[in-house]
Amino acid sequence: MSHRHQPPPTLTKEQQEKRDRLIDALNQVAKILQDDDLKCKDAKCMNRFVSFFRGKQLLELIEKNSDKVKSAMSEFYKGELEAPDDYPKFLSFLLHTGFMVKLERGEDSEIDGKKLKWPKKLNPPRSQAMTFEKMSFYSWRGLKKPKMASFLTFGIVFAVIAACLFPVWPLQLKIGLWYLSVFLLLIMTAIIIVRLILYIVIWIFGFDFWLFPDLFHEEKGPIESFKPLFCGEYRGDSWTMMFGRLMLLGILVAAGYQVGQEPETITDFTDASYDTINDIVDWGYLKLTDGLNSTDVTMKDQYKRHYEELTKDL
């Protein structure tokens, strides 16, 4: 006796609308958690890479954002989100919707007998258990891509193609890009120096203070790296460290007094900095205009005069 495959039942218009609202609500929950710095890593699962996160942090963020999550899921989840036992139940509900899936460690998740905190390989669960466990790993399924994702993808492809075609760029664009690169390099260098000086000065008074604390965070994007603006906390050091801070304060005071007695030191340092910047800009400019042939002499002279006007006040 043969069995024919039964097609999935056709949803009514009302059921489709309800399903779409559920998907939107689940995506809103995921966005709430991701905006609160849900730490995700990439790993290989069944010949493709997935973004996954730890159940322990997920549970903490659900508890922290319980009001927002409950508001987003008010139409579909009628349980409470107040007591500690309520949060695992809600996460088990997410597993039942299929929007979140549980993953297990892969074979190469250990080094020298020690388990990696973030495994490089994951496997689907051996059983379809729909109970949340905080020590497991999880991943979103069916997460909607941001509306800007397509534009960002196009921008990346365009930037790669433009970089490959750099030799045929107009000279104006090449010089403009060089000026912009040097400017951004100077801004970045200034930020690094300022945040280091602020850290040292405030450290003397017993506090750890960082301007742009996530500036070099490997998991942060270009915009997220500048958030938050600053952070600080009291160190509570021992007497030995306090003595070290006093010694550093004395050294800084002595250095400041010495510089005050010889103000030309600051002038010499400033002039040397300007000369270094001019040398860098001049090197790039000469490299870009060195390939002009004899028919482009007039154009080269025009760029040279323009360059001299830009740098004469430095």
Side-chain angles (χ1 to χ4, degrees):
M1 181 177 179
S2 61
H3 297 276
R4 294 183 177 180
H5 176 70
Q6 296 294 330
T10 304
L11 298 178
T12 64
K13 182 179 180 180
E14 181 179 354
Q15 291 174 329
Q16 290 178 350
E17 292 176 351
K18 185 176 181 179
R19 182 194 62 182
D20 293 340
R21 291 197 304 272
L22 173 60
I23 294 175
D24 291 339
L26 293 170
N27 275 273
Q28 186 176 351
V29 171
K31 186 177 186 303
I32 291 171
L33 301 176
Q34 290 173 337
D35 289 345
D36 200 11
D37 202 18
L38 177 63
K39 185 177 293 186
C40 297
K41 293 283 188 177
D42 292 331
K44 195 172 185 180
C45 181
M46 297 183 66
N47 297 323
R48 67 186 183 94
F49 284 93
V50 297
S51 180
F52 71 101
F53 43 86
R54 302 179 68 88
K56 183 178 180 181
Q57 189 193 15
L58 182 66
L59 186 63
E60 294 172 353
L61 294 180
I62 287 290
E63 182 176 359
K64 180 181 177 181
N65 299 277
S66 58
D67 293 337
K68 295 179 181 179
V69 172
K70 186 175 181 180
S71 176
M73 295 293 297
S74 58
E75 181 182 355
F76 306 98
Y77 186 75
K78 304 304 180 183
E80 297 293 334
L81 278 177
E82 298 177 358
D85 293 339
D86 296 335
Y87 309 120
K89 294 179 182 178
F90 173 76
L91 293 171
S92 296
F93 168 78
L94 293 185
L95 288 172
H96 280 279
T97 64
F99 183 73
M100 186 175 74
V101 293
K102 183 185 296 185
L103 300 171
E104 296 180 351
R105 288 180 177 271
E107 298 175 355
D108 57 346
S109 298
E110 295 185 2
I111 296 181
D112 298 331
K114 296 181 179 180
K115 289 185 177 181
L116 295 174
K117 184 177 180 180
W118 295 98
K120 301 298 183 182
K121 185 176 181 181
L122 295 170
N123 294 323
R126 297 183 181 87
S127 61
Q128 296 298 323
M130 295 298 177
T131 303
F132 175 79
E133 298 174 349
K134 71 176 185 178
M135 300 309 296
S136 298
F137 301 103
Y138 299 88
S139 177
W140 303 123
R141 185 169 64 181
L143 185 65
K144 290 184 177 179
K145 294 183 179 180
K147 295 181 179 180
M148 291 297 295
S150 300
F151 294 99
L152 292 175
T153 303
F154 173 79
I156 293 174
V157 174
F158 178 81
V160 172
I161 295 175
C164 294
L165 296 177
F166 180 78
V168 298
W169 281 23
L171 187 58
Q172 300 96 319
L173 290 180
K174 291 181 179 180
I175 294 177
L177 180 61
W178 173 245
Y179 288 162
L180 178 62
S181 301
V182 174
F183 174 75
L184 294 177
L185 176 62
L186 293 176
I187 292 295
M188 194 66 185
T189 304
I191 291 176
I192 293 173
I193 294 174
V194 169
R195 71 195 297 263
L196 180 60
I197 293 174
L198 286 175
Y199 176 81
I200 294 175
V201 172
I202 298 178
W203 177 83
I204 292 175
F205 297 96
F207 292 88
D208 278 340
F209 178 87
W210 282 112
L211 181 68
F212 304 124
D214 291 336
L215 185 61
F216 299 107
H217 199 297
E218 61 179 6
E219 298 177 2
K220 299 289 185 177
I223 298 178
E224 290 77 10
S225 296
F226 292 92
K227 298 178 182 178
L229 179 62
F230 62 88
C231 72
E233 62 179 357
Y234 180 69
R235 291 179 57 87
D237 289 330
S238 62
W239 286 101
T240 304
M241 187 61 69
M242 293 177 64
F243 178 73
R245 294 206 300 266
L246 290 175
M247 288 186 61
L248 178 59
L249 178 61
I251 293 173
L252 292 179
V253 170
Y257 176 78
Q258 184 66 26
V259 172
Q261 296 296 315
E262 300 177 1
E264 63 275 6
T265 304
I266 299 178
T267 303
D268 293 341
F269 176 78
T270 304
D271 293 341
S273 299
Y274 283 147
D275 291 341
T276 301
I277 295 173
N278 286 334
D279 290 341
I280 294 174
V281 175
D282 191 34
W283 176 85
Y285 175 83
L286 294 176
K287 281 290 184 180
L288 292 173
T289 58
D290 187 55
L292 295 177
N293 53 40
S294 58
T295 60
D296 296 320
V297 172
T298 303
M299 181 182 296
K300 183 174 182 178
D301 291 339
Q302 291 177 355
Y303 285 122
K304 185 175 182 180
R305 288 196 299 270
H306 177 63
Y307 162 72
E308 291 174 350
E309 290 176 358
L310 288 175
T311 58
K312 66 181 181 180
D313 295 330
L314 292 178

